[in-house]
Amino acid sequence: MQEFLSDNEQMTKDFAKKLASRLVKGSFLAVYGDLGAGKTAFVKGLAEGLHVTETVVSPTFTILRAYESGRMPLYHFDVYRIADEDELFEIGFDEYVAGDGVCVCEWADLIPGALPQKRLDIKIERMGDTRRKITLEEVDA
């Protein structure tokens, strides 16, 4: 387990940017955190580290945004509004997970049965107005 303290949004992005250099095709990142914790800021940093040129926005209403311009595809899921895990499989979630890119899933706690057994769990916790604690844990159940 690894912990990082971030004092502001830019530090969160910079941390994620560095993490991106360690990712390989097939990496899955399950991101946990309350509303406004910094999950999308983290994904923006990750995308920057993967050299994604498109503007990264939260896919809250579309569930998935795919970014193909980086060193490998980035598939950004936001499952906050899904009704159940079956809805994920209707959009091909399992195919993206087994694909040639990096998958990052915000609100992963809402789909525990759909998460791959091998993944990186990222928990972002508020420690004040701008300070965050980011915890990384490799899971290989």
Short mmCIF file of all heavy atoms in Angstrom, two decimals, residues 86-117:
data_model
loop_
_atom_site.label_atom_id
_atom_site.label_comp_id
_atom_site.label_asym_id
_atom_site.label_seq_id
_atom_site.Cartn_x
_atom_site.Cartn_y
_atom_site.Cartn_z
N ASP A 86 -25.46 -5.02 -14.72
CA ASP A 86 -25.82 -5.51 -16.05
C ASP A 86 -25.74 -4.40 -17.10
O ASP A 86 -25.40 -4.65 -18.25
CB ASP A 86 -27.24 -6.10 -16.05
CG ASP A 86 -27.31 -7.42 -15.30
OD1 ASP A 86 -26.24 -8.05 -15.12
OD2 ASP A 86 -28.42 -7.80 -14.89
N GLU A 87 -26.05 -3.18 -16.69
CA GLU A 87 -25.98 -2.05 -17.61
C GLU A 87 -24.55 -1.85 -18.14
O GLU A 87 -24.35 -1.47 -19.29
CB GLU A 87 -26.46 -0.79 -16.89
CG GLU A 87 -26.66 0.41 -17.78
CD GLU A 87 -27.24 1.60 -17.04
OE1 GLU A 87 -27.83 1.44 -15.96
OE2 GLU A 87 -27.08 2.72 -17.56
N LEU A 88 -23.57 -2.15 -17.30
CA LEU A 88 -22.17 -2.05 -17.72
C LEU A 88 -21.86 -3.01 -18.86
O LEU A 88 -21.15 -2.67 -19.81
CB LEU A 88 -21.23 -2.37 -16.56
CG LEU A 88 -20.94 -1.28 -15.58
CD1 LEU A 88 -20.06 -1.83 -14.47
CD2 LEU A 88 -20.27 -0.12 -16.26
N PHE A 89 -22.34 -4.22 -18.72
CA PHE A 89 -22.03 -5.24 -19.72
C PHE A 89 -22.72 -4.97 -21.05
O PHE A 89 -22.23 -5.36 -22.09
CB PHE A 89 -22.32 -6.63 -19.16
CG PHE A 89 -21.44 -6.92 -17.97
CD1 PHE A 89 -21.95 -6.89 -16.69
CD2 PHE A 89 -20.08 -7.16 -18.13
CE1 PHE A 89 -21.13 -7.11 -15.59
CE2 PHE A 89 -19.25 -7.38 -17.05
CZ PHE A 89 -19.79 -7.36 -15.77
N GLU A 90 -23.83 -4.23 -21.00
CA GLU A 90 -24.52 -3.83 -22.23
C GLU A 90 -23.68 -2.87 -23.07
O GLU A 90 -23.80 -2.83 -24.29
CB GLU A 90 -25.87 -3.19 -21.90
CG GLU A 90 -26.88 -4.15 -21.34
CD GLU A 90 -28.14 -3.47 -20.84
OE1 GLU A 90 -28.34 -2.27 -21.12
OE2 GLU A 90 -28.91 -4.14 -20.13
N ILE A 91 -22.81 -2.09 -22.42
CA ILE A 91 -21.95 -1.17 -23.16
C ILE A 91 -20.57 -1.76 -23.46
O ILE A 91 -19.69 -1.08 -23.97
CB ILE A 91 -21.80 0.19 -22.44
CG1 ILE A 91 -21.08 0.02 -21.10
CG2 ILE A 91 -23.12 0.89 -22.29
CD1 ILE A 91 -20.58 1.32 -20.51
N GLY A 92 -20.39 -3.05 -23.12
CA GLY A 92 -19.14 -3.72 -23.44
C GLY A 92 -18.04 -3.53 -22.41
O GLY A 92 -16.85 -3.64 -22.73
N PHE A 93 -18.39 -3.29 -21.16
CA PHE A 93 -17.42 -3.07 -20.09
C PHE A 93 -16.34 -4.15 -20.06
O PHE A 93 -15.15 -3.84 -20.01
CB PHE A 93 -18.16 -3.00 -18.75
CG PHE A 93 -17.29 -2.80 -17.54
CD1 PHE A 93 -16.80 -1.53 -17.24
CD2 PHE A 93 -16.98 -3.85 -16.70
CE1 PHE A 93 -16.01 -1.33 -16.12
CE2 PHE A 93 -16.19 -3.66 -15.58
CZ PHE A 93 -15.69 -2.39 -15.28
N ASP A 94 -16.77 -5.40 -20.11
CA ASP A 94 -15.80 -6.50 -20.02
C ASP A 94 -14.84 -6.52 -21.21
O ASP A 94 -13.67 -6.90 -21.07
CB ASP A 94 -16.51 -7.85 -19.86
CG ASP A 94 -17.61 -8.08 -20.86
OD1 ASP A 94 -18.08 -7.12 -21.50
OD2 ASP A 94 -18.02 -9.25 -21.01
N GLU A 95 -15.29 -6.07 -22.37
CA GLU A 95 -14.41 -6.01 -23.54
C GLU A 95 -13.35 -4.91 -23.37
O GLU A 95 -12.20 -5.09 -23.76
CB GLU A 95 -15.22 -5.78 -24.81
CG GLU A 95 -16.13 -6.96 -25.14
CD GLU A 95 -17.14 -6.64 -26.22
OE1 GLU A 95 -16.90 -5.72 -27.03
OE2 GLU A 95 -18.19 -7.31 -26.23
N TYR A 96 -13.75 -3.78 -22.80
CA TYR A 96 -12.78 -2.72 -22.54
C TYR A 96 -11.75 -3.18 -21.51
O TYR A 96 -10.56 -2.94 -21.65
CB TYR A 96 -13.47 -1.44 -22.05
CG TYR A 96 -14.23 -0.72 -23.12
CD1 TYR A 96 -15.62 -0.80 -23.19
CD2 TYR A 96 -13.56 0.04 -24.07
CE1 TYR A 96 -16.32 -0.13 -24.19
CE2 TYR A 96 -14.26 0.72 -25.07
CZ TYR A 96 -15.63 0.62 -25.12
OH TYR A 96 -16.32 1.28 -26.11
N VAL A 97 -12.22 -3.86 -20.46
CA VAL A 97 -11.33 -4.34 -19.41
C VAL A 97 -10.30 -5.32 -19.97
O VAL A 97 -9.14 -5.29 -19.59
CB VAL A 97 -12.14 -4.99 -18.26
CG1 VAL A 97 -11.24 -5.70 -17.27
CG2 VAL A 97 -13.00 -3.94 -17.56
N ALA A 98 -10.72 -6.15 -20.90
CA ALA A 98 -9.80 -7.14 -21.50
C ALA A 98 -9.06 -6.57 -22.71
O ALA A 98 -8.31 -7.28 -23.36
CB ALA A 98 -10.61 -8.37 -21.92
N GLY A 99 -9.25 -5.28 -23.00
CA GLY A 99 -8.71 -4.68 -24.20
C GLY A 99 -7.27 -4.22 -24.09
O GLY A 99 -6.53 -4.60 -23.18
N ASP A 100 -6.90 -3.35 -25.03
CA ASP A 100 -5.52 -2.95 -25.20
C ASP A 100 -5.20 -1.60 -24.57
O ASP A 100 -4.17 -1.00 -24.88
CB ASP A 100 -5.19 -2.89 -26.69
CG ASP A 100 -6.04 -1.85 -27.43
OD1 ASP A 100 -7.00 -1.33 -26.83
OD2 ASP A 100 -5.73 -1.56 -28.59
N GLY A 101 -6.04 -1.13 -23.67
CA GLY A 101 -5.80 0.18 -23.07
C GLY A 101 -5.78 0.13 -21.56
O GLY A 101 -5.66 -0.93 -20.95
N VAL A 102 -5.91 1.30 -20.97
CA VAL A 102 -6.00 1.46 -19.53
C VAL A 102 -7.44 1.82 -19.21
O VAL A 102 -8.01 2.72 -19.84
CB VAL A 102 -5.07 2.59 -19.05
CG1 VAL A 102 -5.31 2.93 -17.59
CG2 VAL A 102 -3.61 2.22 -19.27
N CYS A 103 -8.04 1.13 -18.25
CA CYS A 103 -9.40 1.46 -17.79
C CYS A 103 -9.30 2.12 -16.42
O CYS A 103 -8.58 1.63 -15.55
CB CYS A 103 -10.26 0.21 -17.67
SG CYS A 103 -10.69 -0.56 -19.22
N VAL A 104 -10.03 3.20 -16.27
CA VAL A 104 -10.13 3.85 -14.96
C VAL A 104 -11.62 4.04 -14.68
O VAL A 104 -12.38 4.47 -15.54
CB VAL A 104 -9.33 5.17 -14.91
CG1 VAL A 104 -9.83 6.17 -15.93
CG2 VAL A 104 -9.35 5.77 -13.53
N CYS A 105 -12.03 3.65 -13.49
CA CYS A 105 -13.46 3.64 -13.15
C CYS A 105 -13.70 4.44 -11.89
O CYS A 105 -13.25 4.05 -10.80
CB CYS A 105 -13.92 2.20 -12.97
SG CYS A 105 -15.67 2.04 -12.56
N GLU A 106 -14.42 5.56 -12.04
CA GLU A 106 -14.83 6.35 -10.89
C GLU A 106 -16.08 5.72 -10.26
O GLU A 106 -16.91 5.18 -10.96
CB GLU A 106 -15.16 7.79 -11.31
CG GLU A 106 -13.97 8.57 -11.82
CD GLU A 106 -14.31 10.03 -12.07
OE1 GLU A 106 -15.06 10.63 -11.26
OE2 GLU A 106 -13.82 10.57 -13.08
N TRP A 107 -16.20 5.82 -8.95
CA TRP A 107 -17.30 5.25 -8.17
C TRP A 107 -17.29 3.73 -8.23
O TRP A 107 -18.32 3.07 -8.26
CB TRP A 107 -18.66 5.80 -8.62
CG TRP A 107 -18.79 7.27 -8.47
CD1 TRP A 107 -18.65 8.22 -9.44
CD2 TRP A 107 -19.04 7.98 -7.26
NE1 TRP A 107 -18.80 9.47 -8.91
CE2 TRP A 107 -19.05 9.36 -7.57
CE3 TRP A 107 -19.26 7.59 -5.94
CZ2 TRP A 107 -19.27 10.34 -6.61
CZ3 TRP A 107 -19.49 8.57 -4.99
CH2 TRP A 107 -19.49 9.93 -5.33
N ALA A 108 -16.10 3.14 -8.21
CA ALA A 108 -15.94 1.69 -8.32
C ALA A 108 -16.66 0.93 -7.20
O ALA A 108 -17.04 -0.23 -7.38
CB ALA A 108 -14.46 1.33 -8.33
N ASP A 109 -16.87 1.58 -6.06
CA ASP A 109 -17.56 0.93 -4.95
C ASP A 109 -18.99 0.55 -5.30
O ASP A 109 -19.59 -0.30 -4.65
CB ASP A 109 -17.53 1.81 -3.71
CG ASP A 109 -18.03 3.23 -3.95
OD1 ASP A 109 -17.55 3.87 -4.91
OD2 ASP A 109 -18.91 3.69 -3.20
N LEU A 110 -19.55 1.14 -6.36
CA LEU A 110 -20.93 0.83 -6.76
C LEU A 110 -21.04 -0.43 -7.61
O LEU A 110 -22.15 -0.90 -7.86
CB LEU A 110 -21.52 2.02 -7.54
CG LEU A 110 -21.60 3.33 -6.76
CD1 LEU A 110 -22.14 4.45 -7.65
CD2 LEU A 110 -22.47 3.18 -5.51
N ILE A 111 -19.91 -0.97 -8.07
CA ILE A 111 -19.95 -2.16 -8.94
C ILE A 111 -18.96 -3.24 -8.47
O ILE A 111 -18.18 -3.77 -9.27
CB ILE A 111 -19.65 -1.79 -10.42
CG1 ILE A 111 -18.28 -1.10 -10.54
CG2 ILE A 111 -20.77 -0.92 -10.98
CD1 ILE A 111 -17.72 -1.09 -11.93
N PRO A 112 -18.98 -3.62 -7.21
CA PRO A 112 -17.96 -4.55 -6.71
C PRO A 112 -17.91 -5.88 -7.46
O PRO A 112 -16.84 -6.45 -7.65
CB PRO A 112 -18.34 -4.75 -5.24
CG PRO A 112 -19.80 -4.38 -5.17
CD PRO A 112 -19.99 -3.31 -6.21
N GLY A 113 -19.06 -6.36 -7.93
CA GLY A 113 -19.09 -7.64 -8.63
C GLY A 113 -18.57 -7.59 -10.05
O GLY A 113 -18.29 -8.63 -10.65
N ALA A 114 -18.40 -6.39 -10.60
CA ALA A 114 -17.94 -6.25 -11.98
C ALA A 114 -16.45 -5.94 -12.07
O ALA A 114 -15.86 -6.01 -13.14
CB ALA A 114 -18.72 -5.15 -12.68
N LEU A 115 -15.84 -5.60 -10.94
CA LEU A 115 -14.42 -5.22 -10.97
C LEU A 115 -13.54 -6.42 -11.26
O LEU A 115 -13.78 -7.51 -10.75
CB LEU A 115 -14.02 -4.59 -9.62
CG LEU A 115 -14.72 -3.29 -9.25
CD1 LEU A 115 -14.30 -2.86 -7.85
CD2 LEU A 115 -14.42 -2.21 -10.27
N PRO A 116 -12.50 -6.20 -12.06
CA PRO A 116 -11.57 -7.31 -12.32
C PRO A 116 -10.81 -7.68 -11.04
O PRO A 116 -10.60 -6.83 -10.17
CB PRO A 116 -10.62 -6.77 -13.39
CG PRO A 116 -10.76 -5.30 -13.34
CD PRO A 116 -12.12 -4.99 -12.78
N GLN A 117 -10.42 -8.93 -10.95
CA GLN A 117 -9.72 -9.39 -9.75
C GLN A 117 -8.35 -8.73 -9.62
O GLN A 117 -7.88 -8.48 -8.51
CB GLN A 117 -9.58 -10.90 -9.77
CG GLN A 117 -10.90 -11.61 -9.58
CD GLN A 117 -10.74 -13.11 -9.51
OE1 GLN A 117 -9.69 -13.66 -9.80
NE2 GLN A 117 -11.81 -13.78 -9.13
#
